Amino acid sequence: MQIELSAVHARHPALRPEAPDTLRGLDLRIGAGEAVALIGPSGAGKTSLLQLMGAALPPRQGRLLLDGQDPWRSGSAGLRALRRQLLLAPQTPPLPPRQRVVTAVLAARLPQWSLARSLMSLVRPQEPERARAALEALGLGDKLWERVDRLSGGERQRVGLARALVGEARLWLVDEPLSALDPTRAAEALELLLRTARARGVTLVASLHHVELALRSFPRVIGLREGELMFDRPAAEVSPALLSALYAQHESELQQPLASPEPPVVAPVPLTCR
């Protein structure tokens, strides 16, 4: 899916009236099948940009086109049709705590299923083998029938990524997918996403705090600061000077390490009174 932004301004709905727009004057074009990393300090507007591209945040000025179509001028049916072709994955996946992992992963299949099959899958998961394959690729094959509230933060993030693998979206917008993963898991998960996106011709845009990993893994890197585009370059052309300017007054984020391995979640032991 191709993305075009022309002089876009956008505003997070939680902002105070006197606050400046979250995104200001953005001009971008991302071709179908490209893999692009978004970097920048906290508050730069990375999450808002992903929401804008995912037709979840409307522009205040300018224009957004997805495959040449303006989602906000397509009517409600056209907007729903476009949203069915994309996956917007937040940093913390909204997974119901008592839901089984298999059901959480298969939620990405709902756009392809009829209403009857979707309802049936809540009782008896309809394509468990598809969910199992995605989870095994992410090292979670043994969690298929586990409850979501028994998972660690890193495991929940990988469940969110498994949704991308089982769905048929043509645009993946992934917000900080590695923040709760240790270095080995993070590198493996990112390589899997990139490889799968290339094989399917999916456009992948991911925001990352880990600058070194972004530069090493993505061919194209976009730098955002205070809602404005600082640079848009091939990864090989992102110099230390550009990074220093991007992270000025936020130098600690430039060297932010990946997460340490998380301890396993231990199920609570029920207490009995004698």
Side-chain angles (χ1 to χ4, degrees):
M1 182 178 286
Q2 182 175 291
I3 306 169
E4 294 181 62
L5 279 68
S6 301
V8 165
H9 290 247
R11 187 176 185 81
H12 193 280
L15 284 179
R16 300 187 305 273
E18 67 274 15
D21 287 346
T22 311
L23 301 172
R24 300 190 292 279
L26 293 188
D27 290 293
L28 280 175
R29 184 184 182 280
I30 298 175
E34 276 200 82
V36 181
L38 303 178
I39 64 173
S42 298
K46 300 186 296 295
T47 297
S48 294
L49 179 54
L50 291 175
Q51 291 174 340
L52 178 81
M53 294 176 174
L57 180 67
R60 292 186 69 229
Q61 298 178 36
R63 188 167 66 165
L64 163 71
L65 297 179
L66 300 176
D67 272 352
Q69 183 177 352
D70 186 336
W72 303 104
R73 297 182 180 180
S74 303
S76 57
L79 181 58
R80 287 194 300 270
L82 270 176
R83 285 174 173 168
R84 283 196 293 268
Q85 299 179 61
L86 59 88
L87 175 81
L88 181 58
Q91 180 177 357
T92 304
L95 305 176
R98 294 182 177 273
Q99 193 175 63
R100 298 292 177 184
V101 169
V102 62
T103 305
V105 173
L106 290 175
R109 300 292 299 162
L110 296 179
Q112 284 75 50
W113 288 349
S114 66
L115 176 59
R117 191 172 193 188
S118 300
L119 294 174
M120 189 182 302
S121 190
L122 294 174
V123 179
R124 184 183 179 87
Q126 294 298 288
E127 298 178 354
E129 70 287 346
R130 190 186 292 265
R132 185 189 298 277
L135 290 167
E136 286 179 348
L138 289 159
L140 292 176
D142 61 333
K143 304 295 184 181
L144 182 69
W145 300 105
E146 191 70 78
R147 251 176 46 171
V148 168
D149 57 4
R150 301 296 177 88
L151 303 180
S152 69
E155 288 170 340
R156 293 184 194 194
Q157 279 195 327
R158 281 183 280 161
V159 168
L161 296 179
R163 287 178 166 180
L165 302 183
V166 304
E168 297 182 11
R170 298 191 297 119
L171 172 60
W172 293 349
L173 302 165
V174 188
D175 192 10
E176 297 295 346
L178 314 175
S179 61
L181 303 185
D182 64 70
T184 300
R185 290 291 189 194
E188 292 173 348
L190 187 56
E191 196 278 332
L192 176 63
L193 279 182
L194 287 162
R195 185 175 69 246
T196 305
R198 283 194 302 268
R200 297 183 186 178
V202 170
T203 306
L204 170 62
V205 185
S207 69
L208 294 170
H209 271 311
H210 313 293
V211 175
E212 181 182 349
L213 194 57
L215 295 175
R216 187 169 70 237
S217 304
F218 285 80
R220 178 180 172 187
V221 178
I222 291 173
L224 286 180
R225 182 181 173 91
E226 296 179 353
E228 297 182 354
L229 184 67
M230 292 284 287
F231 60 78
D232 177 2
R233 297 196 176 194
E237 296 180 8
V238 178
S239 66
L242 283 174
L243 293 176
S244 294
L246 183 65
Y247 286 90
Q249 289 90 46
H250 300 271
E251 288 80 5
S252 61
E253 294 186 39
L254 185 55
Q255 304 297 330
Q256 183 170 339
L258 290 167
S260 300
E262 290 190 63
V265 174
V266 179
V269 178
L271 300 177
T272 57
C273 297
R274 295 181 180 273

